[in-house]
Amino acid sequence: MGSCQLEEEVYSSIFVESYYKTASDAEKGLIAVYDALGGLYGGPAATMVPDYSADQVYPRGVVGRNSLTLFTTEPTYTIQRSAGRTNESAQQIWISGYSGIEKANWIIAKVPDATMDETRKKQIIGEAYFLRAFYHWMLTRTFGDVVIKTEPSTSETKAYVGKSPKADVYKQIYGDLDMASQAGLISGSTVEKGRPSKEAVDALYAKAALYNEDYAKALEKAQAVIASGKYSLMPNVLDVYSYLKEDAARVENIWAFEADPISPGTGHQLVSLCGPVGSAGVEYARTSYGSMFAYMSFFNSFDAKDKRRQLLDTTYLDRAGKWVPQKSITPITTDAVLIKKYQDPVSTTGLIPNIPILRLADVYLIAAEAEARLNGGTPKAYEYINAIRTRAGLPNLTAGLAKDAFIDAVIQERSWEFFAEGDRWYDLSRTGKFLTVIPKAVNSVYPVRPVLAKHKYFPIPQEEINANPQLQQNPDWQ
């Protein structure tokens, strides 16, 4: 081998330079930007990582899923990787996030010079800005200070980038959403499935601003979505998740991970995870493994009149027509509660239910929280939260709450409204409540949950640090 030359010319950049010239190139390139959503929600790391870490749902301890609930995750993500479940780890959020960002960067850099209809060109670039903002937001809320990547990796120098402070990440997110808002995106729920509408841009803007503690901006953008009148709450909250009413629910589901019941198509594991073991529940799925349940304490936190509690169950009808009691739902505990948000009893591929990402209900509660943080429990703040409570079949929130008590009520309302949708852990971590709430979320399977302050953010995958000489581990994980 001493005489061999282990060098080769890199052709990838040459190929990219010759691409993005036509409308077809631009559309195909944009689809590649959306592909990263499959990595986030197919596993689905985007919901499993935060949900298993929080206080609403827990996993059966197989293939490393209990590492999230027990807070034994480490920078190498060895447990999930050794079980072949990187797709269920925070490492997947990093991998998919930066994969999507890289592909978005090529669209933003190259499509302006493409020969095509100018209106559609502008929309394509706007969608890329929206997705780049979304991926950066997913990364910063999971890892804290992260890499801001705004140029395609045309060279090694541009590929290796160090972390930026979280404040700068949000500044970039704002800038990208400003660009997306000016791109002429279609308004309302008639937008093509899976693509962001003009209101989706404002909804993401509102949520990002809330996480950034920029409450004036969060309120402004949330009010813009509500005032547009383009979306409305479904009269029956159960219909938001019905596999029979997916299209009708688009009036509330502003943007979702679109599951496609074809093969090959886009899908996720939540249908099979949430049903009883052995595919036993006739209304849950053709195939279910019994790997994800709700804590009994969470079930008991609901008012009995709350319609959202019907999205949980302590019994089920088996395929022989017999009712199975709670103590027999799973062999691992006698107080498991079944989750009914992702039922698909008819599809052989089990892919029909979408995973909500941005809902109008979320926008209302963002507005309620932002208004309260700025001005306390004003009539407007009460109006926003009571819209969600009324739909759930609950009375109006107790009048006259002090500012902190009102905000706590909003956070609790978010818990009931968005369980198993990947939100709860981030609500707990961004408000600092995780240190007091998580230790109380226990059962016979997980009697102790040793959460620490460093768990507010997940460790940056060690593989990424090894590969990027400019990248450093989060201080609390060093």
Side-chain angles (χ1 to χ4, degrees):
M1 294 291 292
S3 62
C4 292
Q5 295 291 323
L6 296 180
E7 296 180 2
E8 61 178 308
E9 188 173 355
V10 178
Y11 289 97
S12 58
S13 293
I14 295 175
F15 171 76
V16 172
E17 289 296 327
S18 65
Y19 201 65
Y20 303 108
K21 300 293 187 182
T22 67
S24 177
D25 292 346
E27 296 286 3
K28 291 174 183 176
L30 181 62
I31 290 172
V33 187
Y34 282 96
D35 280 347
L37 292 173
L40 287 171
Y41 288 94
T47 60
M48 293 175 73
V49 169
D51 283 341
Y52 286 161
S53 302
D55 64 332
Q56 301 166 330
V57 307
Y58 65 92
R60 189 156 55 95
V62 295
V63 294
R65 289 180 185 135
N66 57 354
S67 67
L68 292 162
T69 304
L70 293 173
F71 295 95
T72 55
T73 294
E74 22 68 69
T76 57
Y77 293 96
T78 300
I79 296 173
Q80 288 101 334
R81 290 177 63 236
S82 62
R85 295 288 173 161
T86 300
N87 60 299
E88 297 180 4
S89 72
Q91 183 173 8
Q92 187 65 54
I93 296 176
W94 185 282
I95 292 168
S96 295
Y98 283 109
S99 172
I101 288 168
E102 176 67 17
K103 293 169 182 175
N105 287 340
W106 282 107
I107 292 287
I108 292 167
K110 294 295 183 181
V111 170
D113 295 329
T115 302
M116 62 179 296
D117 176 77
E118 289 299 318
T119 297
R120 182 58 191 146
K121 178 196 290 188
K122 190 176 179 181
Q123 290 174 340
I124 287 173
I125 297 169
E127 289 179 53
Y129 274 117
F130 172 85
L131 290 167
R132 189 169 75 176
F134 175 75
Y135 295 137
H136 274 119
W137 177 66
M138 287 289 291
L139 288 159
T140 194
R141 72 174 184 164
T142 303
F143 299 100
D145 298 343
V146 295
V147 174
I148 298 173
K149 192 73 166 59
T150 58
E151 296 183 23
S153 298
T154 56
S155 66
E156 184 175 309
T157 301
K158 291 184 177 180
Y160 295 148
V161 182
K163 291 193 301 181
S164 293
K166 187 173 64 171
D168 290 342
V169 181
Y170 276 101
K171 187 181 298 183
Q172 182 62 49
I173 291 169
Y174 284 12
D176 283 353
L177 292 174
D178 285 335
M179 295 296 292
S181 68
Q182 301 166 19
L185 298 180
I186 294 173
S187 182
S189 59
T190 59
V191 67
E192 185 179 348
K193 296 178 182 180
R195 296 188 187 273
S197 64
K198 180 179 182 295
E199 291 74 30
V201 177
D202 282 340
L204 178 58
Y205 214 140
K207 197 161 188 177
L210 185 77
Y211 277 59
N212 193 34
E213 300 181 3
D214 183 358
Y215 302 122
K217 181 66 71 175
L219 182 60
E220 172 197 340
K221 295 299 182 179
Q223 287 177 330
V225 176
I226 295 168
S228 74
K230 297 293 184 178
Y231 293 87
S232 59
L233 297 175
M234 293 283 284
N236 184 348
V237 69
L238 305 182
D239 289 344
V240 176
Y241 308 96
S242 171
Y243 70 96
L244 295 172
K245 298 185 178 181
E246 176 184 291
D247 287 335
R250 295 184 193 283
V251 300
E252 178 170 338
N253 285 329
I254 299 173
W255 191 50
F257 174 69
E258 295 282 341
D260 192 353
I262 60 172
S263 183
T266 55
H268 57 80
Q269 295 189 76
L270 291 178
V271 172
S272 58
L273 294 177
C274 291
V277 295
S279 308
V282 65
E283 66 177 324
Y284 284 86
R286 292 285 189 94
T287 303
S288 65
Y289 305 108
S291 295
M292 180 174 171
F293 305 96
Y295 289 100
M296 189 65 192
S297 57
F298 176 60
F299 179 80
N300 287 337
S301 74
F302 284 84
D303 187 303
K305 298 187 294 293
D306 194 328
K307 294 177 183 178
R308 294 168 298 192
R309 198 174 76 163
Q310 297 176 44
L311 293 163
L312 298 165
D313 212 340
T314 56
T315 185
Y316 71 91
L317 187 68
D318 70 13
R319 297 188 181 278
K322 297 180 180 179
W323 286 100
V324 177
Q326 185 176 25
K327 65 182 180 63
S328 302
I329 284 177
T330 168
I332 65 171
T333 179
T334 59
D335 64 353
V337 179
L338 290 164
I339 299 164
K340 304 177 77 172
K341 277 192 171 180
Y342 301 103
Q343 292 177 313
D344 177 8
V346 298
S347 174
T348 55
T349 53
L351 303 176
I352 288 178
N354 293 338
I355 300 178
I357 302 176
L358 296 169
R359 287 204 279 128
L360 185 63
D362 199 355
V363 176
Y364 270 101
L365 292 178
I366 289 169
E369 182 179 343
E371 170 69 16
R373 290 188 182 276
L374 291 169
N375 305 308
T378 65
K380 202 68 178 173
Y382 270 93
E383 178 185 328
Y384 293 136
I385 190 172
N386 285 334
I388 305 305
R389 292 178 62 84
T390 298
R391 198 264 295 267
L394 296 176
N396 287 344
L397 183 65
T398 303
L401 292 177
K403 178 177 179 178
D404 289 347
F406 183 92
I407 292 170
D408 285 346
V410 175
I411 301 301
Q412 180 59 64
E413 202 68 42
R414 292 185 63 84
S415 177
W416 293 323
E417 183 70 28
F418 305 117
F419 75 85
E421 295 182 34
D423 251 27
R424 177 60 171 172
W425 168 256
Y426 297 118
D427 280 340
L428 294 174
S429 61
R430 71 179 175 86
T431 59
K433 293 178 179 292
F434 68 102
L435 289 172
T436 55
V437 170
I438 296 304
K440 300 175 184 176
V442 295
N443 60 12
S444 60
V445 185
Y446 301 102
V448 178
R449 300 186 61 205
V451 65
L452 302 172
K454 74 173 186 178
H455 294 125
K456 178 175 182 177
Y457 295 115
F458 287 84
I460 294 173
Q462 189 62 44
E463 288 182 351
E464 303 296 333
I465 295 172
N466 294 343
N468 181 354
Q470 295 192 35
L471 188 59
Q472 295 182 335
Q473 184 58 269
N474 287 336
D476 288 343
W477 289 91
Q478 291 178 359

